[in-house]
Amino acid sequence: MKKNWTAKTNRKWKRFFAVGCSHGHLADPNALDTVLDFKKRWKPDLTIHLGDFLDLSPMMMNGRKAETDGSRLADDFVAGVTFLEQLEPQLIFAGNHEDRIPKLQEHSNSIISYAAEQVGLELEKVVRGLKAEYVPYDIQSGWREVGDTRFGHGYMFSENALRDHAELVGKCVIAHLHKPGQVRARRLEGATGVCVGTLANIPAMAYAKTQKSRCAWNHGFVFGEYCEGKGAETISWLIEKGTNGWRLPI
């Protein structure tokens, strides 16, 4: 027993920090300040943005939303990448919102396709400047393993979506759902799925103003420790904003 305990405690543990769904110009300033301040204190070896760092609402509906959407694409882009540059992640995931960029690059309207190409080129410059890996949005290949846990934006959306992700890929940390939480999957070897929640100004997410699911949204993030190689493991801790504000462990 002593030998096994010693072997486990001698593993080299590293720290990670993960956020998601900040949504560009719709981000909540207090939430952004909170996670940036926490990162400084936690000093992670690996920082991850799980996607939807841009909102890109004018690109919705195959670009037709631009005719009625009042937000400025340029302002949204600047806000989103400014937070990325402050966060300094090594891993950046494309979410379903960023996935609008490559989709519209194939648009039959040359003005829309050109605009999407320019946004894509500017985003590539930002990612290169950060020396980060940018992970495209794909349910099969859009995951990266840290320790024994897969990180990705998230793809399914329902009341059981977090459980479904864990049953699909095993232990995982996602964003996408805006609802912080964790759930144990129905797998023989066991697996826990964790959702980081959102960093957006929730009342400003007007597209969901009639959806009951928005009542479950909240600010949050995930941090933890991981070790690699033989006996790889990841321990994840979810922090959710309380009714009266944030109460942080450090």
Side-chain angles (χ1 to χ4, degrees), residues 152-168:
H153 177 70
Y155 301 90
M156 295 164 273
F157 197 97
S158 71
E159 282 300 303
N160 294 318
L162 183 55
R163 183 199 68 188
D164 292 344
H165 281 89
E167 291 185 352
L168 176 69

Side-chain angles (χ1 to χ4, degrees), residues 231-248:
E233 188 175 1
T234 303
I235 305 298
S236 299
W237 298 299
L238 171 66
I239 298 296
E240 181 178 0
K241 183 180 179 181
T243 304
N244 297 309
W246 297 91
R247 184 166 177 80
L248 304 175

Side-chain angles (χ1 to χ4, degrees), residues 97-109:
H97 284 244
E98 287 82 29
D99 194 48
R100 294 167 183 167
I101 300 170
K103 284 180 179 177
L104 290 186
Q105 288 175 354
E106 305 299 324
H107 201 285
S108 58
N109 184 313

Side-chain angles (χ1 to χ4, degrees), residues 101-151:
I101 300 170
K103 284 180 179 177
L104 290 186
Q105 288 175 354
E106 305 299 324
H107 201 285
S108 58
N109 184 313
S110 60
I111 297 176
I112 293 175
S113 64
Y114 178 76
E117 287 169 7
Q118 295 307 302
V119 173
L121 289 171
E122 289 300 314
L123 181 55
E124 287 177 11
K125 291 179 186 177
V126 172
V127 174
R128 282 199 305 271
L130 290 168
K131 298 180 180 179
E133 180 186 4
Y134 186 66
V135 184
Y137 191 61
D138 186 286
I139 195 169
Q140 289 182 288
S141 61
W143 301 92
R144 292 296 181 268
E145 200 159 8
V146 178
D148 65 347
T149 297
R150 287 186 172 94
F151 287 73

